[in-house]
Amino acid sequence: MQNRRLVTVLVFVVAVPLLVAAVLQARAAGGISNARSGLTLLVPAAPGGGWDTVARELQRAMRENGVVTNPRVVNVPGAGGTIGLSQLDQMQGRDDVLMVMGTVMIGGIVVNDSALTLADTTPVAELAEDYEAMVVPADSPFQSVDDVAAALREDPGAVAIGGGSLGGTDHLTAGLLAQDVGADPAAVNYIPFAGGGEAVNALLSSSVDVGISGYVEFADQVETGALRLLALSAPEPQPGIDAPTFIDAGYDVYLPNFRGVVAPRGLDEEQVGELTAIVEETVATPEWQDALQRNQWIGAVKTGPEYQEFLDAEVERTTALAEELGL
Amino acid sequence: MDVLASLADGFATAFSPINLLWVVVGALLGTAVGVLPGLGSAMAVALLLPVTYSLDPTGAFIMFAGIYYGGLFGDSISAILLNTPGNSSAIASTFEGHKMALTGRAPQALATAALGAFTGGLLATVLVAFLAPSMAVLATYFGPAEFFALALFAFVATSAVVADSLVKGLASLVIGLAVAVVGIETQSGTSRFTFGVPDFLDGIDVVVVTVGLLALGEVFHRASLAHRPEAETLIRSGGRPFLSRGELRKALPAWLRGTAFGLPFGVIPVGGSEIPTFLAYGNERRIDRRSRKPEFGQGAIRGLAAPEAAGNATSGTAMGALLTLGLPTSATAAIMLAAFQQFGLQPGPLLFERDSELAWALIASLFVGLVVLLVLNLPFAPLWAKLLLIPRPFLYAGITLFCVMGVYSSSGSVVDVVLLLAFGLLGMLMRRADVPVAPVLIAVILGPLAETELTRTLTISEGDPSALVASPISIALYAVLALTLVITAVNRIRTRRSIDA
């Protein structure tokens, strides 16, 4: 009994001054923003996926260079990222949270009939992009994009196209091509797989006629000759990749798979400026440059009005396309 | 001989002290996350990934290899002792494994599981080392039509044997299918039975269903009987972790049969090791029925040995598929694929040419990891089994905490916790009504798989059902299935007649 009282007293003696000191210290250090001391990177997907990789690379670059003292990654997976989006919406006005998002979320919002959209967030920056590749099995009769386009024009249902999940970049690219050749995007025979890797299997077993996914997923099989690369969805030919862009081949198909960050809505200009500065400092670090190379991303930093404009344009055309795909 | 020389080099790398340390760390970590329900080796590798950037890739992958197999050893520990499979690959192990523990044979059950996992993993890794490239070809014969035939086959083959009463088995199966259709259908984007709850859009997690029905259901069932005098007192388990000659004689063929079921499944991407473990379990049970003294239901050692071996054999060849084809055939393999890509390596046909040193070191570490895990697991079996000596109220309180924590930490969602409790109640009611739980789990896992592949087949063929039987593989699978059904029906009628007469 005596002992217990002693412990209680001791706890108070130690804890109370510590707490007071901490509060005073925090007040004195008022110059440091919330975001600088403890930024939360919200990942609207499970650990291990594309968005998660972006967040963990950011976290590493921030921590190693002291851009943010204590960045942490929180995963809120589910429903194409829209569960994370609704979590972010509840953090209105908080200036120490960034959510990773990208092209896939725009489709996810349509597929999951989300009431919230990216208009309910504060755009901060675009970070990186990569491009889609279109491939066929080595023994396919399709030799070029023109052959695929001709087949689509004749009967869009007759060409089975495999790729990632519904409404994702792969599906959208298929839709863009169909649209461009004058076929009904909703009639495209698109077979969604859990990811590019599974789609590769479907191509090798000749279950699907055409595959569309990130180039990285196909790179090895293209190199060994098991798959034939027909085109890339980049704005210009990519160094080291021997394939024309859709645009060079004569098709108006340009779809970057971009990754960016957004903050909760209800922030003032100063708060957005601070978050933008953090991102700009982070992407300038050698760690981030290294991350771009390792993950085969193409650095594409846009901030402020430029990002807002880009995002608005992408949201508008991608949403329209997703609707046309019948999602 | 080329292979042997490369493998020897691989072992030289794997046996360097620092790499040995990584294998042991990985094995321990893998076992730990394997034991926890809901946390699997996939999660562990994903979370460790950023930490490993500072390691050289060889060290990192050697550690991942330890985690990979460690998870499979760990998940059966909680399955056997607590009736709570640490992962879906251990669901089939709970059926007979937990019964063995309840009849006082916990250390033997743990030893059977560890030895089975070792056997399956070892044979699979040998196969990967020597035949990986030719095995990988198998994957290219399987398209959606064949996957559907396979899923349907597993479905009928297992549900036909796990339930004794046809009506109750079917009822249980239908509950499972109802749970399985919740969420957005991946092929069309239609959302089903989500009732406006956004958390339901991705469907109900298999972990929640499994842990709820098996573990919490059991806890609730016991609690509801608490006021009655304890009918069965727990037999104190014997301390010997080694199997008697009689036990070995039963387990050995089961390990080998299980391995045979598991090996081919690693290469074909139909949802990891669940199908082979269920098939192996079903097969043992079918064999058992024909014997003079059926043991299933009272803790048959064969019913545990076979699925354990099958699970690890699948994981072993899955690693082969990952390395030689770049095909991720399980969740952990998918994360490992991401890990390779982050280190600037691309698993696939070119890996053995470009990074042969790393690839062979990894294969050698798989062997080392298996031995380390066996050494870690066998002596600890009696220690783990002591867990059952904890007085019932504390044990069940602990299990409840353990389950809720596991589910919450894997998803961070309160909805999942509420669902977990709901499935716990359902599990209790099913136990009360003597309805088997296993068909629910089989339906939850295989149902969506079968549906997706069926939809894919029909979409590709633009609705022409003849695509389902267009290849020799699917025709053969359906033929075997039909034959099994006929034999089962004939046997049932015969036994009924002999009872009537």
Side-chain angles (χ1 to χ4, degrees), chain B residues 485-499:
Chain B
L485 281 180
V486 170
I487 292 175
T488 317
V490 168
N491 276 349
R492 287 229 163 172
I493 293 168
R494 246 190 227 157
T495 31
R496 197 162 293 170
R497 279 215 185 123
S498 64
I499 289 168

Side-chain angles (χ1 to χ4, degrees), chain B residues 303-331:
Chain B
L304 170 64
E308 271 302 313
N312 254 31
T314 308
S315 311
T317 43
M319 189 55 98
L322 178 67
L323 291 178
T324 55
L325 261 192
L327 262 192
T329 52
S330 71

Side-chain angles (χ1 to χ4, degrees), chain A residues 5-54:
Chain A
R5 190 166 295 162
L6 191 70
V7 169
T8 319
V9 169
L10 268 179
V11 164
F12 268 97
V13 167
V14 175
V16 171
L18 266 182
L19 194 70
V20 171
V23 169
L24 288 178
Q25 172 71 23
R27 197 172 278 175
I32 296 178
S33 65
N34 284 337
R36 291 280 178 184
S37 56
L39 184 71
T40 300
L41 292 162
L42 185 74
V43 179
W51 286 335
D52 187 61
T53 313
V54 173

Side-chain angles (χ1 to χ4, degrees), chain A residues 47-49 52-53 56-57 59-60 75-80 82-83 86 111-113 155-160 165-166 189-194 197-198 200-202 204-208 216-217 219-221 223-224 294-297 326-327, chain B residues 43 46-47 49-50 53-54 139-144 146-147 184-191 198-202 267 269 324-328 335 337-338 341-344 346-351 354 410-411 452-453 456 459-462:
Chain A
D52 187 61
T53 313
R56 291 186 196 271
E57 297 283 11
Q59 179 189 34
R60 195 166 89 100
N75 295 80
V76 183
T82 54
I83 301 219
S86 66
V111 175
N112 292 283
D113 285 322
D155 177 8
V159 188
S165 59
L166 279 186
N189 196 349
Y190 185 80
I191 324 293
F193 290 88
E198 263 194 51
V200 169
N201 184 54
L204 293 180
S205 64
S206 291
S207 308
V208 296
V216 189
E217 308 277 2
D220 249 32
Q221 306 286 355
E223 206 173 311
T224 51
R294 269 188 289 111
N295 294 290
Q296 304 194 29
W297 296 328
L327 298 172
Chain B
M43 180 76 91
L47 294 179
L49 208 48
Y53 290 150
S54 44
T140 59
Y141 292 123
F142 278 78
E146 289 78 17
F147 288 149
I184 289 189
E185 200 270 316
T186 56
Q187 300 300 299
S188 65
T190 322
S191 57
D199 298 82
F200 283 0
L201 286 173
D202 282 340
V267 193
T324 55
L325 261 192
L327 262 192
I335 307 269
L337 179 63
Q341 288 169 344
Q342 301 230 327
F343 278 104
Q346 179 66 39
L350 296 178
L351 183 76
R354 279 197 213 126
S410 68
S411 68
T452 304
E453 299 299 350
R456 269 184 196 149
T459 317
I460 293 173
S461 73
E462 290 183 86

Side-chain angles (χ1 to χ4, degrees), chain B residues 37 208 402-417 420:
Chain B
V208 174
F402 192 62
C403 294
V404 176
M405 207 176 68
V407 164
Y408 186 74
S409 58
S410 68
S411 68
S413 150
V414 183
V415 178
D416 276 1
V417 175
L420 176 75

Side-chain angles (χ1 to χ4, degrees), chain B residues 12 19 24 39 84 98 100 139 160 174 218 222 234 237 249 272 315 323 343 476 489:
Chain B
N19 286 339
V24 176
L39 291 182
T84 312
H98 186 58
M100 277 185 77
V174 171
E218 178 78 16
R222 295 281 164 183
L234 193 68
S237 31
R249 202 175 300 137
S315 311
L323 291 178
F343 278 104

